[in-house]
Amino acid sequence: MNGDLSAVEEGVARLDAVLEPIAKRPVDVDDPDWAEKMMAAPAPLDEAGVREEAEALLAEVLARYAADESSRPRLRALFRRCPSFRWAVNRAFPATAEGVRSSLLLISLRDLGSDPRDELLSLRAVCEAARDEGIALEPVLREVAAMSADEDRHGMGSTRSVLLGAAGS
């Protein structure tokens, strides 16, 4: 797993370019049925025909992120450079101990994304699902917080501080 990230970066950048027209497609909010139309539309990964490849690449990115401290800043920067990929792979993992950890790793990797309010809502949903399933949340929040960036990029706290706050610290 340790090693060159070039192939991962190339794969994410290529899929980002494929997904960009979908991610940046205008939404006509004057259309009274706009929300229903969006809900009825296929998922972006399916529409682009890249679900299997994107999910495999995301699994590799998350595994590298969790295992290799030296790769984390580069992977966070990759997700900042590839917002369409970051948006499209915003998947819901199962409400299991490993699924919750994967969700939190993805939140950490996105490093509060382009809108930290969305990330805070995602974090709240993951925490609620974990608590509903009786999953011990505090230890995994602390584990992932330790992997997270400590830079306050949006004036709302760093990803590390947000995760520690959710853990009750």
Side-chain angles (χ1 to χ4, degrees):
M1 180 126 4
N2 292 340
D4 188 29
L5 288 175
S6 297
V8 169
E9 290 173 317
E10 289 170 14
V12 169
R14 187 178 58 70
L15 290 178
D16 185 69
V18 169
L19 292 160
E20 184 177 23
I22 298 167
K24 294 189 175 180
R25 180 183 301 144
V27 176
D28 180 6
V29 294
D30 291 329
D31 178 347
D33 299 323
W34 73 269
E36 291 81 16
K37 288 177 181 175
M38 285 187 69
M39 298 292 284
L45 296 178
D46 296 326
E47 183 177 341
V50 297
R51 176 172 296 284
E52 187 174 318
E53 182 182 1
E55 288 185 352
L57 192 53
L58 177 63
E60 182 177 355
V61 167
L62 290 176
R64 284 177 180 258
Y65 189 80
D68 184 12
E69 181 177 353
S70 66
S71 295
R72 290 179 194 139
R74 192 166 159 187
L75 291 169
R76 287 190 291 265
L78 174 64
F79 266 48
R80 280 192 296 276
R81 286 192 314 272
C82 297
S84 298
F85 181 84
R86 181 184 68 221
W87 165 79
V89 297
N90 188 12
R91 64 171 290 194
F93 291 93
T96 63
E98 189 56 35
V100 167
R101 183 174 184 270
S102 293
S103 295
L104 293 174
L105 285 169
L106 184 55
I107 288 170
S108 175
L109 174 63
R110 290 190 309 241
D111 196 20
L112 298 180
S114 56
D115 189 340
R117 297 168 299 182
D118 290 337
E119 295 299 328
L120 294 173
L121 291 173
S122 294
L123 176 60
R124 178 180 293 156
V126 169
C127 291
E128 286 175 8
R131 288 185 184 107
D132 289 348
E133 294 299 318
I135 296 168
L137 189 55
E138 184 179 330
V140 72
L141 280 165
R142 291 183 186 285
E143 173 199 5
V144 176
M147 297 179 202
S148 300
D150 203 19
E151 177 187 357
D152 182 355
R153 296 184 321 107
H154 300 286
M156 295 180 73
S158 68
T159 302
R160 180 175 294 166
S161 69
V162 167
L163 293 172
L164 287 173
S169 297

